Amino acid sequence: MMASSEHTLSPQYSFPVQIYYEDTDFSGVVYHPNFLKYFERAREHVIGADILANLWQEQGLGFAVYRSDMLCHDGVEFADIIDVRTRFYFESKYRTVWLQEIWRPNGKKPAVTAQIEMVCMNKARQLAPMSPSLISKLSQNFTSQIKL
């Protein structure tokens, strides 16, 4: 998955997830909707739960999935500790695009890949621009300055 050359891509973030028996089907392979949960946890880890809570409580802003495209390339199994690798870019002041991969231990390629588009919304569930403070926080580790 590649970002458009006109977008500045974030550094890669890594988030480990332990696979429990409850995550799997009868064969011990992760039930595919759970991958979306792991991707969600990794995005929350990148932004920070405290920042998301304050954003909602103080500014009335939150994020919703606008679009999701996920490909399962290989099974993930019970007892694996996977690495959810996450990068993102700003599509606009309303939208971020998250490029995420799940890697199994000693994997040669990602087991699951996804591109997830998130939009910023207000409490009335209307599209709203991200606050400058949020954009600044999310772009603090980028190698070049983000201007929206």
Side-chain angles (χ1 to χ4, degrees):
M1 291 179 292
M2 297 294 297
S4 166
S5 60
E6 64 190 58
H7 299 291
T8 302
L9 199 56
S10 75
Q12 180 173 282
Y13 297 88
S14 184
F15 183 71
V17 174
Q18 168 72 52
I19 303 301
Y20 295 100
Y21 189 74
E22 69 184 17
D23 297 322
T24 67
D25 61 17
F26 70 95
S27 68
V29 176
V30 170
Y31 182 52
H32 68 278
N34 288 332
F35 295 128
L36 293 172
K37 291 191 315 186
Y38 308 149
F39 288 138
E40 181 81 26
R41 289 180 200 163
R43 290 192 306 273
E44 184 176 321
H45 180 73
V46 169
I47 297 171
D50 56 336
I51 291 170
L52 288 168
N54 287 338
L55 186 67
W56 184 251
Q57 293 165 358
E58 296 173 9
Q59 299 178 37
L61 297 175
F63 290 98
V65 172
Y66 172 73
R67 182 179 176 157
S68 175
D69 184 17
M70 182 176 76
L71 296 170
C72 298
H73 308 281
D74 194 12
V76 174
E77 299 176 356
F78 167 63
D80 279 349
I81 298 177
I82 58 172
D83 183 23
V84 182
R85 298 176 187 176
T86 301
R87 298 185 82 175
F88 71 94
Y89 63 89
F90 294 95
E91 178 70 24
S92 71
K93 63 183 175 180
Y94 302 95
R95 184 184 331 209
T96 54
V97 177
W98 298 78
L99 309 172
Q100 296 184 278
E101 299 175 335
I102 290 176
W103 286 78
R104 292 187 71 196
N106 303 313
K108 303 283 189 249
K109 63 177 184 167
V112 182
T113 57
Q115 179 171 312
I116 299 171
E117 297 179 30
M118 304 290 293
V119 293
C120 188
M121 300 181 79
N122 61 25
K123 288 188 177 187
R125 297 188 180 131
Q126 298 170 326
L127 199 59
M130 288 178 272
S131 67
S133 63
L134 178 62
I135 292 170
S136 175
K137 163 63 177 131
L138 289 177
S139 61
Q140 71 184 359
N141 292 326
F142 282 37
T143 55
S144 61
Q145 193 67 8
I146 304 298
K147 295 183 183 182
L148 299 177

